[in-house]
Amino acid sequence: MNINKIQNLKNQAISSILEAEDKKELERLRIQYLGRKGEITKLIKELPELEVEKRKEIGGLLNDVKKAIEDALEQTQAKLQRIPPEDKEWSDITVPGEKIPQGHLHLISQAIKEISVVFEKIGFIRVSYPEVEWEWFAFEALNMPEDHPARDDFESFFVDQKPHSKYGRMVITPHTSSGQIREMQRTEPPIRMINIGRCGRPNYDATHTPTFHQFEGLVIDRGINVTHLKGVFDYFAKNFFGPKRKIRLRPFHFQFTEPSFEVDVNCPLCLGKGCKVCKGGWHELGGSGMVHPLVLESGGIDPRKYSGFAFGWGVERNYLMKSGLNLDDIRPLYEPDLRFINQF
Ligand code: DAH
């Protein structure tokens, strides 16, 4: 019996026992070395054949080896008990949770929700009107005559080639202003409408998409004047953009309002002084004005009794300005690229 061979056997036994991956394998190894016909057992049985001196030496060694193998078996057994078997239920509250994928509202739906809440707080009623509209509601009734440039084929998406009703052709609503006429015909003053809708125009570049959204406000009552318009816009600027924001009006021209204004909001960084980002201190929100008497008449409202103001602003534009998102290109808002969409 060779001492080196016994040492090798010991090393081999211990390393395979420590690497055993399940209890079955561990039991197989126990039998292989310490079982009735196991390799170590066999050597122990052969001891009486040795001379007395050798028997003492080898006997002591084999005892140590047996003990070391038993220790390794015990140690591995304990380790395997701590690892939960895969097919059984287990719980460990310290394991980090798994994130379940969850959808969310698209950026534009979030914007529409936020804008509605701001206006609803001061009594505006949220409405929706057709996305495909008669020419009469979209243009004629808004004092935009037949030769108005917006009524060219390349400025609006006409659905029909030729008029087929007294309201003319059908057109994909190019702005939410047609909702003014629909609202005046549907109800009586006092009117406080916020019409948020999808619009379409044949434009496609970094800052224009063929589909976009507008929110249109209309207030009609006795004695409504420009101070009401300004008060509502200031309220909107403070509640939507933040308490330090305010608006200014610039004279402009629209067919359906008189007087008409472009509305600007002060820059969030310099608050209107002018800085590197905004240049002039102000950002444009959109158009507005006092409802033209001819438009009130189209809606069946007597302009001698009632007056009102209106505004129509872009949802995308206003929301991007609010969130501080500086998109060089707004087209991804309408594309199914989840790497972009999932960020919001
Ligand atoms: N409809 C206009 C557009 O799409 C925006 C607008 C301007 C709406 C003035 C209004 C308004 O109600 O008063 O460009």
Side-chain angles (χ1 to χ4, degrees), residues 174-177 180 201 214 216-217 254 256-257 287-289 310-312:
H175 54 180
T176 42
S177 301
Q180 292 187 28
R201 284 185 209 172
Q214 286 189 339
E216 184 91 15
F254 293 104
F256 29 89
T257 43
S288 75
F311 54 97

Side-chain angles (χ1 to χ4, degrees), residues 130-132 138-139 150 154-158 171-176 197-203 209-214 334:
E131 288 179 10
V132 182
F139 302 117
F154 44 84
E155 288 296 338
S156 293
F157 286 121
F158 288 97
V171 61
I172 293 180
T173 320
H175 54 180
T176 42
R198 181 153 51 181
C199 306
R201 284 185 209 172
N203 293 320
T209 48
T211 293
F212 58 99
H213 294 76
Q214 286 189 339
Y334 288 99

